[in-house]
Amino acid sequence: MTDKEAEQASFLANRLRKRRRQLASWRRREGVSCWRAYDIDIPEIPLAIDVYEDALAIALYKRPYEKDPEEERAWLAAMAKSAAHALEID
């Protein structure tokens, strides 16, 4: 993982932890188990992340520039790992 990827993964994890805490009482009160955790809040991280009980669905928005497919896969894997850890999902 590059320094830039590590920094972005850290930003994403912090944002997801904050969002999880903000919505915790609402989710418990309403019995919500599926919810949108992230939706391109940080422009450098163009993702939508949904929580479906104990699984994540991660969608990559189209970037304004092209990335090498292998780099994109590695970046997406790093972001997915960070998101799963922050949201406490295996």
Side-chain angles (χ1 to χ4, degrees):
M1 183 182 311
T2 67
D3 289 343
K4 184 176 180 178
E5 285 175 351
E7 182 180 48
Q8 289 177 341
S10 176
F11 288 158
L12 180 61
N14 290 337
R15 181 63 54 102
L16 291 171
R17 283 187 200 100
K18 181 179 177 182
R19 182 90 169 132
R20 187 185 68 201
R21 280 192 311 268
Q22 288 173 333
L23 298 178
S25 62
W26 167 76
R27 291 185 355 247
R28 273 192 306 276
R29 184 177 61 250
E30 299 295 326
V32 173
S33 62
C34 302
W35 51 286
R36 169 96 8 130
Y38 178 87
D39 192 14
I40 202 167
D41 299 342
I42 303 168
E44 295 82 21
I45 306 172
L47 300 173
I49 301 174
D50 295 322
V51 177
Y52 294 96
E53 296 184 6
D54 60 351
L56 293 179
I58 300 176
L60 175 64
Y61 284 97
K62 183 175 176 158
R63 292 180 183 268
Y65 56 88
E66 287 294 319
K67 251 187 154 182
D68 176 79
E70 189 58 36
E71 283 180 335
E72 192 75 85
R73 278 191 287 280
W75 179 86
L76 193 53
M79 297 306 113
K81 182 177 180 180
S82 179
H85 181 65
L87 294 169
E88 299 177 357
I89 294 175
D90 290 335

